[in-house]
């Protein structure tokens, strides 16, 4: 006979879902990454048009564009990984160019001219994500991770 559960032994089950895909380091690859992420989130129960889905799409679009623009190595793809970990959505975008890294979270960035066309991407990531960081990618490159806390 199994002893009755006590509050200390009762745990909420944690469902982990993972989606990983490589894309060509082109603007079309970045666009496809955003669209496939939206499709995968919908399949996981985060429908199109919700705040979470829209925010995730913006993060993937920006990080994908950065990977294609700043992290591109000819002949190498970039990779997008989504992880749904309980109430957290983790977005990872990896490229093979480790020497060009965005400034870490919380770093003061130089003031840009008002009409500058570049230099604001990671400001968007910082504003949209609950947490983000830049990690080393083994064996080479970097991974930018952005996490969103999902509503209950």
């Amino acid at each position: 006979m199994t002893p009755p559960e006590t509050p200390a032994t009762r745990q909420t089950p944690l469902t982990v879902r993972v989606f990983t895909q490589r894309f060509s380091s082109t603007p079309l690859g970045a666009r496809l990454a955003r669209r496939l992420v939206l499709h995968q989130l919908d399949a996981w129960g985060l429908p199109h048009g919700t705040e979470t889905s829209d925010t995730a799409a913006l993060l993937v679009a920006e990080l994908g564009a950065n990977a294609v623009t700043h992290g591109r190595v000819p002949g190498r793809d970039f990779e997008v990984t989504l992880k749904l970990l309980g109430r957290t959505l983790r977005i990872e975008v990896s490229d093979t160019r480790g020497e060009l890294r965005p400034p870490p979270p919380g770093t003061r960035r130089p003031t840009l001219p008002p009409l500058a066309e570049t230099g604001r991407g990671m400001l968007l990531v910082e504003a949209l994500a609950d947490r983000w960081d830049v990690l080393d990618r083994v064996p080479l490159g970097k991974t930018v991770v952005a996490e969103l806390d999902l509503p209950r």
Side-chain angles (χ1 to χ4, degrees), residues 66-67 71 77-79 93-98 137 140-143:
N66 285 353
D77 296 337
F78 75 97
E79 182 177 86
V93 178
S94 303
D95 63 57
T96 55
R97 195 155 186 197
R137 180 178 184 230
L140 70 137
K142 66 183 171 295
T143 300

Side-chain angles (χ1 to χ4, degrees), residues 57-97:
L58 287 170
L59 287 168
V60 170
E62 184 55 42
L63 295 176
N66 285 353
V68 167
T69 305
H70 307 295
R72 184 174 187 274
V73 174
R76 301 278 177 111
D77 296 337
F78 75 97
E79 182 177 86
V80 175
T81 300
L82 292 179
K83 296 179 181 176
L84 188 57
L85 310 163
R87 304 303 311 160
T88 301
L89 176 64
R90 183 178 172 107
I91 300 165
E92 301 175 1
V93 178
S94 303
D95 63 57
T96 55
R97 195 155 186 197

Side-chain angles (χ1 to χ4, degrees), residues 4 6 8 15 18 29 31 33 45-46 60 68 75 89-90 93 97 103 105 107 110 120 129-130 132 148:
T6 61
T15 302
V18 179
R31 180 173 179 247
L46 298 167
V60 170
V68 167
L89 176 64
R90 183 178 172 107
V93 178
R97 195 155 186 197
T107 302
R120 293 186 176 86
D130 292 304
W132 73 277
L148 295 175

Side-chain angles (χ1 to χ4, degrees), residues 22-84:
R22 287 189 178 178
F23 300 93
S24 63
S25 288
T26 64
L28 183 60
R31 180 173 179 247
L32 181 59
R34 181 182 57 82
R35 293 180 61 106
L36 281 178
V37 162
L38 284 171
H39 178 75
Q40 187 61 51
L41 291 175
D42 189 58
W44 285 348
L46 298 167
H48 293 285
T50 61
E51 183 178 346
T52 300
S53 178
D54 290 347
T55 302
L58 287 170
L59 287 168
V60 170
E62 184 55 42
L63 295 176
N66 285 353
V68 167
T69 305
H70 307 295
R72 184 174 187 274
V73 174
R76 301 278 177 111
D77 296 337
F78 75 97
E79 182 177 86
V80 175
T81 300
L82 292 179
K83 296 179 181 176
L84 188 57

